Amino acid sequence: MRGLDEPPVLSLANNQISGLPSSLAAMDHLTKLNLSHNRIVHIPTCVYSMKGLVFLHLACNRLESIADQIQDLVNLKILIVEGNSIHALPKTLCFLESLELLNVDFNELQSVPEEMYQLSRLRRLACHPLDKGLHIIHNPLLKPIHEVLQGGLSALYNYLKPT
């Protein structure tokens, strides 16, 4: 009956933390985790053990990358990592079939994985912060070029899909 005394939501936003204790990996009942507005450089390893997460908010930290283990969060529907210093997205991110909102705006992305078209639940390029879809336009993208993005998400996927 541990689920009755442990909430499915944990917010540690705005706490100037740079990491999490590994013991938090036992919180596999969590569905929502907010670690935004902190000093996190790498997604804490314990987060990848939280298989029940559907919402992960890491905006406005100091992230430079996302580990391949992101694929372990198979139930993830919303991933917000805007306002960091991420240079590249791992291909394994494209295995998150449940992802409906991916916000990578205001990072240092110059390209996206070719496998991005596999994220079929991201249905459009999104601009408003609450919109579902892919938030990516505010990055120094070299591939795909901004002209491709102006054609919307289908143009991006067509650009990325192997012929």
Side-chain angles (χ1 to χ4, degrees), residues 89-161:
L89 298 174
K91 291 179 182 181
T92 57
L93 179 69
C94 302
F95 302 148
L96 296 177
E97 297 175 2
S98 298
L99 210 55
E100 297 175 359
L101 187 154
L102 174 59
N103 189 336
V104 293
D105 263 344
F106 303 104
N107 276 284
E108 302 298 324
L109 295 175
Q110 293 186 357
S111 64
V112 296
E114 291 179 4
E115 296 80 3
M116 194 79 134
Y117 69 89
Q118 295 174 358
L119 295 172
S120 59
R121 292 193 180 204
L122 295 180
R123 302 192 191 246
R124 64 185 180 137
L125 287 176
C127 295
H128 189 276
L130 299 177
D131 287 345
K132 288 185 179 179
L134 175 62
H135 300 252
I136 195 169
I137 294 174
H138 299 102
N139 280 285
L141 291 169
L142 300 175
K143 178 186 174 187
I145 55 176
H146 278 281
E147 288 77 14
V148 171
L149 292 177
Q150 288 175 351
L153 198 55
S154 61
L156 171 64
Y157 288 172
N158 287 334
Y159 175 82
L160 295 172
K161 272 187 187 176

Side-chain angles (χ1 to χ4, degrees), residues 45 47-49 51 66-73 90 92 96:
T45 305
V47 170
Y48 299 117
S49 298
K51 307 281 191 238
I66 297 173
D68 285 339
Q69 293 98 312
I70 193 72
Q71 70 181 338
D72 295 342
L73 300 178
T92 57
L96 296 177

